[in-house]
Amino acid sequence: MLAAGCASAPVTPPAAPATAPTILGVTVAKGRGVPFGRSDSGEDYLRLEQKATDPGYGYTQQNPVRVGGPLREGPRREKAYLNGLRGPAGEVIEYERMGSCCPFESPNDIMGGGMLDAFRVTYAGQAAPATLYINFYDPGPALVPLGFSARAAGR
């Protein structure tokens, strides 16, 4: 398990997009989008050490969170990333995959392209759920989006 944290003053995330993403595929189990979970589940989580400076990071299809790594590890890294997030004041987050959307070209997929995963993310006291976009094909620094914080070590 990787663990670390970074604290900062709460920042208001960008307003939700006017339109929801067009979902092209979804997996459901027990009435919920898969994967789903909480950032206090005890499962592996990514150590997130840097805050994004771009207010659109993770909130837009044009600048998704990138957690890619070796082929076939993308879904595991995607879930570990979400398990490493907390609300702005350290609140446990809950996340649920809305589905796949937003096709794009990528040299890191055997077919030459992939789709983003859109996640609904919530925490106690939040005014409205956030939608985060994750690219699990391409690597990049996995940053903490504005409006969130990183999970502290051992928590």
Side-chain angles (χ1 to χ4, degrees), residues 18-144:
T19 59
T22 301
I23 302 299
L24 302 173
V26 66
T27 303
V28 177
K30 299 180 182 178
R32 297 193 69 187
V34 176
F36 59 86
R38 293 171 48 100
S39 64
D40 66 349
S41 66
E43 297 180 277
D44 287 344
Y45 61 96
L46 287 182
R47 179 178 174 175
L48 301 172
E49 298 180 342
Q50 293 181 303
K51 270 293 228 200
T53 56
D54 177 352
Y57 176 81
Y59 293 101
T60 65
Q61 299 164 21
Q62 296 74 27
N63 193 9
V65 174
R66 289 173 177 80
V67 296
L71 196 60
R72 299 193 202 294
E73 285 191 25
R76 182 187 65 78
R77 290 182 56 79
E78 179 176 71
K79 191 167 180 160
Y81 170 79
L82 291 163
N83 287 335
L85 287 179
R86 293 291 173 107
E91 303 92 343
V92 170
I93 68 158
E94 293 190 17
Y95 56 87
E96 180 176 356
R97 182 174 172 264
M98 298 163 63
S100 296
C101 70
C102 326
F104 63 94
E105 293 182 12
S106 172
N108 297 308
D109 180 64
I110 59 173
M111 302 297 286
M115 290 198 287
L116 301 178
D117 280 342
F119 281 85
R120 180 178 300 106
V121 182
T122 61
Y123 55 84
Q126 184 181 24
T131 299
L132 293 181
Y133 295 92
I134 301 180
N135 169 348
F136 68 61
Y137 299 93
D138 300 324
L143 307 174
V144 177

